[in-house]
Amino acid sequence: MTNQRSFKTRVRARMAKTGESYTTARRHLINRAAGPDPEAPPAPAAAQTERIADDLLRDRTGRGWAQWFAVLDAASAAERTHTEIARHLVAEHEVPGWWAQSITVGYEQARGLRSPGQRRGGGFEASASRTVAAPAARLFEAFADETARARWLPDVEVRVRTATAPRSFRADWAGGPTRIVVGFDAVGESKTRVNVLHEKLTGAEQATQLKAYWRERLTALKVLLESNGDNR
């Protein structure tokens, strides 16, 4: 009983840190305890409704998944493009940009318009995010400044397309054809949520690999900026 209670505490601690649902957080902890299987195929991408807990979504946007799905069904969102759905959420319901995108992806997956890791229309993409105890301007610099970027994202060719401080950063990745789209959302005065979307991928396997890669790199960025007073 004591071990079970301790494990549940660890699950809830991970939920609080990552925003994952109980089921997703529990699965990650079980997989970590079991250790990696070198012969196992990459794990499939999790659905958006698993990645973002219902309680967290309700706290940040005022509604949970089922409520947002009902709102979008009433607006005939399944007949709209991804961009149109996200803009509707922003304009009509005042949902912040990153959350509007997240709800749109979750809705499209739930209605069979795309699979996890897949773009609307058939292409593939990978996404990852982290909340870092640093101002948005500092996170933006970590991507936009070549020297700062090399400290946590070494040995990768990044060709900047557009950069709007301190809100967004777009770049071609490793000479193309894939590219990254990065958004920075302030969470209070001293924290920022950085969201990376890696687009134009070749398939589900590459999407799964890059999702794991970006989780690792954003964790490295978080550690860098939150240590040694480097979150100025």
Side-chain angles (χ1 to χ4, degrees), residues 68-120:
W68 279 120
F69 291 171
V71 166
L72 292 175
D73 282 341
S76 300
E79 301 174 6
R80 302 188 183 192
T81 67
H82 176 92
T83 300
E84 288 172 342
I85 298 172
R87 285 177 177 171
H88 172 78
L89 289 169
V90 172
E92 300 298 328
H93 300 283
E94 299 182 348
V95 178
W98 186 83
W99 287 102
Q101 293 287 341
S102 297
I103 293 169
T104 300
V105 171
Y107 178 79
E108 291 171 335
Q109 291 175 355
R111 295 299 180 261
L113 301 173
R114 67 156 88 187
S115 300
Q118 186 179 34
R119 287 182 58 85
R120 182 86 171 260

Side-chain angles (χ1 to χ4, degrees), residues 142-223:
F143 277 86
D145 182 86
E146 185 175 356
T147 300
R149 188 170 62 243
R151 298 177 65 190
W152 65 277
L153 195 67
D155 305 322
V156 177
E157 178 189 353
V158 175
R159 185 168 65 245
V160 179
R161 297 171 64 93
T162 61
T164 305
R167 297 175 57 188
S168 63
F169 175 86
R170 295 172 179 264
D172 293 326
W173 180 259
T178 70
R179 65 189 181 193
I180 58 172
V181 180
V182 188
F184 309 93
D185 294 322
V187 182
E189 296 182 357
S190 59
K191 291 185 178 180
T192 303
R193 187 173 183 86
V194 53
N195 312 289
V196 176
L197 180 65
H198 203 136
E199 300 180 319
K200 296 190 173 183
L201 307 183
T202 57
E205 183 175 353
Q206 186 186 27
T208 299
Q209 292 170 345
L210 281 170
K211 188 176 189 68
Y213 171 82
W214 279 112
R215 284 176 174 172
E216 177 189 5
R217 288 298 85 209
L218 291 183
T219 297
L221 175 60
K222 177 181 174 71
V223 171

